[in-house]
Amino acid sequence: MSESTRPGGLIALAILNFLFGAIGFLVVSSRVLSLAMKEQVIAQDPRMEVIIHDITVTSIIFGTVLTVLLIVSGVGYLKQKRKLGYLLGNLTSVIWMGYIILTTSGFNIMSSALFLFPVLTLMMLNVMFKEDFINP
Amino acid sequence: MKDFNLKHTWTIAKYHMLFSLRSGGGIVFLLMTLVSAMVIASIFILPVEAMVGAGGDLGLGNDPAITGNIIKEISGSSIVRGLVNWLIGGEGQGSYLLNEKPALLSCIMLALLMLLPFLVCFGAFNQTTSDIANKGLRFILLRTERVNIYLGRVMGTVLFSLTTVILIMVLLVLYIQFKLGIYEVGSLWIWSVQGGVAYFMLSLPFVALCAWISSSFESPFGSLLLCLLFTGLPAIFLKMLNRYLDADFSHKFWPTGWKFGMLNSDLTMVLLTGTVLFLFTVGFLMLGLRSFQKRDL
């Protein structure tokens, strides 16, 4: 199968991975900055302590790993690679769901909306595009 | 229409629906529609959840009956009822939607109905455009007639939209039923079915309109832009005409003018809305089919 027969859906998934990866990068960067400048921020506005208190090192590590995985698996989708695309894409979705559970407090409608993309990715990779990862 | 073959049309519809999920547009439509529905729902549901949480913090317990009563108080207020009456353009409809039906679901459905025509464009803009551009339809034309291809693609898009609508309604109702538990299960499900039918009926003319635009252009991006423009601009123009003529009927000349009719308390109005939306669909289909039959593929 040549690159021209790559399904459009796989390209869309890759672009969405890059998009969410970029958003993830911004979120992780802002969390690192907030943690690094904790004292100054709280000194300026004591109400910020509640928000900064919720930021943990674990969530930052989780977020960084997720961001990298999103971008790498996006490249894997485009190159139709079995390990880099299919396997890593599945792993990314599972880690993403874990990240949502770790960082959101309680189950609500917004947190369930965050589950949409990883669940959709899992379904698409394992039902629609399973046979399209033709490169090792 | 003498070349119409239901078996061929159904086969094309089935494959188009499955292929929609493999195409980029299909995935973007599915994700966008689901995310929009969840965001709209969260605008209405999050404050209710906050109320339930606050009740628990104050030692009142998470009693759904208390939350239900607070929602009834809010939706019973003249401001909220007036707002819904203004939105729908019918006296007494606010009271029907907010007091007689599950108010939370009614509000979510009204907001979704306003957004639906635009969301439909993302799922329907590329019914034939890409295949016209890459001359792919020539291979199918060896096996079947143009009318079957055109109607099959429309039917496939309608089925795909219907599946998405059902998914949204089931997700919303399950969430309201199990997480909030403030409404009677039967009334919630019956109202959600009526809401689903309203979405489906409203999506029909826009799928047909997009099919017409899609069959007239060879650029998918151009087709998407025109679909969005032709969905929104006539509605805005007719609303302005209403103001200019000091009338309240001009907007009814476009399907968006009938978007809330399927949720009306009056059965005659529901049937009239269904008929008008169906006629719009047939009209757009005939125009699109005429252009598709004549064009160079």
Side-chain angles (χ1 to χ4, degrees):
Chain A
M1 195 185 282
S2 66
E3 285 211 354
S4 61
T5 53
R6 185 197 298 133
L10 213 50
I11 301 171
L13 275 186
I15 292 171
L16 288 169
N17 264 29
F18 294 142
L19 182 75
F20 286 119
I23 295 170
F25 175 74
L26 290 175
V27 171
V28 169
S29 309
S30 66
R31 286 184 171 203
V32 171
L33 275 176
S34 306
L35 219 56
M37 300 168 72
K38 195 176 172 179
E39 270 90 41
Q40 290 109 299
V41 173
I42 293 171
Q44 272 187 350
D45 188 352
R47 287 172 298 179
M48 291 299 283
E49 193 177 356
V50 186
I51 299 166
I52 294 177
H53 183 74
D54 285 341
I55 302 170
T56 58
V57 178
T58 323
S59 76
I60 289 174
I61 294 169
F62 233 123
T64 311
V65 171
L66 184 60
T67 303
V68 173
L69 282 178
L70 275 168
I71 292 164
V72 175
S73 59
V75 174
Y77 296 161
L78 290 177
K79 293 193 170 176
Q80 291 176 277
K81 295 212 178 236
R82 185 132 198 103
K83 283 180 193 157
L84 208 63
Y86 177 72
L87 292 176
L88 210 61
N90 276 304
L91 183 71
T92 309
S93 302
V94 174
I95 290 180
W96 189 335
M97 290 194 270
Y99 181 68
I100 296 166
I101 294 166
L102 186 82
T103 52
T104 50
S105 49
F107 174 72
N108 60 34
I109 188 99
M110 268 321 259
S111 61
S112 58
L114 292 174
F115 273 103
L116 283 176
F117 185 66
V119 170
L120 188 75
T121 305
L122 276 179
M123 276 169 57
M124 287 294 151
L125 290 180
N126 294 293
V127 180
M128 278 288 159
F129 304 124
K130 200 176 178 183
E131 307 301 324
D132 292 298
F133 294 94
I134 44 167
N135 301 314
Chain B
M1 287 297 279
K2 64 180 188 304
D3 300 320
F4 177 70
N5 181 321
L6 186 65
K7 205 176 154 197
H8 285 194
T9 308
W10 174 241
T11 308
I12 292 167
K14 219 166 47 182
Y15 278 95
H16 182 68
M17 191 189 158
L18 286 175
F19 188 76
S20 294
L21 278 173
R22 280 183 69 82
S23 69
I27 288 183
V28 170
F29 165 70
L30 190 65
L31 198 69
M32 238 170 97
T33 312
L34 288 173
V35 169
S36 308
M38 287 299 189
V39 169
I40 287 173
S42 70
I43 293 170
F44 296 99
I45 291 176
L46 280 179
V48 176
E49 286 185 326
M51 267 193 272
V52 177
D57 291 344
L58 292 169
L60 296 170
N62 291 348
D63 188 0
I66 297 172
T67 318
N69 284 336
I70 297 172
I71 291 176
K72 263 187 194 160
E73 286 274 323
I74 296 169
S75 55
S77 73
S78 57
I79 299 171
V80 177
R81 250 185 299 141
L83 187 73
V84 175
N85 279 338
W86 169 79
L87 192 70
I88 299 178
E91 281 301 312
Q93 290 308 306
S95 172
Y96 170 72
L97 291 170
L98 298 172
N99 297 359
E100 290 175 41
K101 298 288 173 189
L104 201 57
L105 194 59
S106 295
C107 292
I108 296 169
M109 289 196 314
L110 290 180
L112 274 175
L113 279 171
M114 285 194 279
L115 204 65
L116 187 82
F118 299 97
L119 289 173
V120 165
C121 293
F122 285 92
F125 76 95
N126 197 8
Q127 292 176 54
T128 47
T129 312
S130 291
D131 286 332
I132 291 171
N134 61 29
K135 311 285 180 203
L137 286 179
R138 289 182 181 187
F139 299 101
I140 310 174
L141 275 173
L142 296 171
R143 291 169 178 265
T144 190
E145 304 298 328
R146 288 184 184 218
V147 61
N148 301 320
I149 297 173
Y150 189 80
L151 293 178
R153 295 281 172 102
V154 172
M155 202 192 280
T157 311
V158 167
L159 288 175
F160 187 51
S161 309
L162 182 67
T163 315
T164 313
V165 162
I166 292 172
L167 192 64
I168 290 173
M169 290 316 293
V170 169
L171 282 175
L172 285 178
V173 173
L174 283 177
Y175 190 88
I176 294 174
Q177 183 186 327
F178 289 109
K179 186 79 196 314
L180 301 177
I182 48 177
Y183 296 114
E184 197 189 312
V185 177
S187 66
L188 195 64
W189 279 97
I190 290 169
W191 188 226
S192 76
V193 170
Q194 196 171 336
V197 173
Y199 294 142
F200 176 66
M201 287 307 294
L202 184 64
S203 69
L204 283 181
F206 292 102
V207 169
L209 175 70
C210 292
W212 179 17
I213 295 169
S214 165
S215 68
S216 312
F217 290 90
E218 291 186 16
S219 151
F221 184 68
S223 168
L224 173 63
L225 276 184
L226 282 172
C227 287
L228 289 169
L229 277 177
F230 278 101
T231 299
L233 275 186
I236 296 168
F237 172 75
L238 291 169
K239 278 272 180 193
M240 282 163 65
L241 197 69
N242 258 352
R243 283 253 166 136
Y244 180 71
L245 298 174
D246 200 20
D248 63 347
F249 59 84
S250 308
H251 64 292
K252 298 280 183 192
F253 288 105
W254 198 244
T256 44
W258 298 84
K259 58 182 176 284
F260 301 127
M262 292 296 290
L263 298 180
N264 205 288
S265 57
D266 184 4
L267 186 65
T268 321
M269 186 62 190
V270 175
L271 292 175
L272 178 68
T273 306
T275 313
V276 171
L277 290 175
F278 181 72
L279 288 176
F280 268 118
T281 310
V282 173
F284 290 142
L285 271 182
M286 300 300 272
L287 288 167
L289 193 57
R290 197 163 158 260
S291 124
F292 189 70
Q293 297 269 32
K294 285 180 182 171
R295 71 157 299 142
D296 173 34
L297 293 177

